[in-house]
Amino acid sequence: MRVLGIETSCDETGIALYDTDKGLLADALYSQIAVHSEYGGVVPELASRDHVRKTLPLIEEVLNKAGLAKTDLDAIAYTSGPGLIGALMVGAAVGRSMAYALGIPAVGVHHMEGHLLAPMLEDNPPAFPFVALLVSGGHTQLVKVEGIGRYELLGESLDDAAGEAFDKAAKMMDLDYPGGPHIARIAERGTKGRFTFPRPMTDRPGLDFSFSGLKTFTLNTVTEHAEANGLPSDQTCADIALAFQEAVVATLVIKCRRALKQTGYKRLVIAGGVSANKSLREQLEAQLAKINASVFYARKEFCTDNGAMIAYAGAQRLLAGETADLAINVTPRWPMDSLKPIPNQNAAKHHE
């Protein structure tokens, strides 16, 4: 089955073609970072307009890469939530309309299920069951995963997501959007130990997160060390970035170890944009090795929003007999534990 995946939940247009026998055939991604960077965050109306401009050309690009025509498609999967409603509507309208015109089935995919299953596209995919850390600009969640659609929320952020905290901390130091890569970049030249930031909610039981207090602590530190131009020196900003990143990473690692202990599982999947953070990957690998546990993640280009994860997740739903009706429906807020479980967990092949 050849499945076209369409991702338009936020500020990236992702298109991919996945074959359940041959694996990923082609993919393409357009990022709107340049559009939104001057505003310091995503402007929903601008995001929707750019998806309108880019979705169809990217579909043509992916089909050309794969050497296929629209009539060679067997099904279409599109992100139907959660996300920005206008952006979601673009992908859903294009996907559902194409499927109708071609006489093939379509299915709406949960954006976070796509992220959760993205590591299945790698050569060494995780086996069920496992604990998943979904960590991005919009979500920070720990999920117990027994199979596709068999999810139990273990903990989540009570305020800012980790990725959002990175963005806001970066803005305090006049760094560009999105903040995560810029924080990581300048943290590499930071002075270790100059600042020590709190590890929020790690001194109490439970698996929930909170990053608003860490954000406030960062702002106070930036303000305290500001110079005449209103900002700390470049070196002080690097030191603050390092301390901030260490605090976020340590918090995530502590909670992941706690979740593995609570479930008794030995496999952790990290997914979402923040999962590309080098320090987070290194610390998780080092700390989980101490408890004989393994960590899995997607390649970096599939950590952020992309069409490949939607095509793969959609393929699993389609193989289980799920399809969307003719109505174009999107769900901006959609709890992942409300998804239907797939009875047969023999997922499609995950070749390159």
Side-chain angles (χ1 to χ4, degrees), residues 36-90:
H36 302 286
S37 59
E38 64 178 295
Y39 303 101
V42 178
V43 181
E45 178 60 24
L46 295 181
S48 302
R49 292 179 184 180
D50 238 21
H51 288 310
V52 170
R53 284 191 287 264
K54 298 297 182 180
T55 301
L56 290 177
L58 282 178
I59 291 173
E60 292 294 339
E61 178 182 333
V62 166
L63 288 171
N64 288 337
K65 282 183 181 179
L68 298 172
K70 291 186 182 73
T71 50
D72 294 317
L73 298 174
D74 297 306
I76 296 178
Y78 55 86
T79 305
S80 56
L84 302 175
I85 187 167
L88 290 168
M89 284 296 295
V90 176

Side-chain angles (χ1 to χ4, degrees), residues 173 175 182-184 186-187 236-246:
M173 292 179 278
L175 300 175
H182 297 288
I183 291 280
I186 69 170
T236 298
C237 281
D239 298 341
I240 292 172
L242 176 60
F244 174 83
Q245 179 175 260
E246 286 179 334

Side-chain angles (χ1 to χ4, degrees), residues 6-10 48 51 78-95 109 111 328-334:
I6 302 174
E7 156 60 23
T8 63
S9 66
C10 190
S48 302
H51 288 310
Y78 55 86
T79 305
S80 56
L84 302 175
I85 187 167
L88 290 168
M89 284 296 295
V90 176
V94 170
V109 173
H111 178 75
I328 299 173
N329 294 316
V330 297
T331 310
R333 296 183 181 275
W334 188 5

Side-chain angles (χ1 to χ4, degrees), residues 171-175 222 225-234 237:
K171 191 172 184 179
M172 295 171 196
M173 292 179 278
D174 200 31
L175 300 175
V222 169
H225 293 84
E227 299 183 346
N229 65 349
L231 292 170
S233 67
D234 288 347
C237 281

Side-chain angles (χ1 to χ4, degrees), residues 111-149:
H111 178 75
M112 297 310 294
E113 181 171 69
H115 274 304
L116 186 151
L117 297 178
M120 299 296 184
L121 291 161
E122 302 304 313
D123 290 334
N124 181 34
F128 298 113
F130 54 77
V131 170
L133 171 66
L134 304 178
V135 57
S136 65
H139 299 82
T140 301
Q141 299 176 331
L142 279 165
V143 181
K144 179 181 177 181
V145 181
E146 296 181 339
I148 298 176

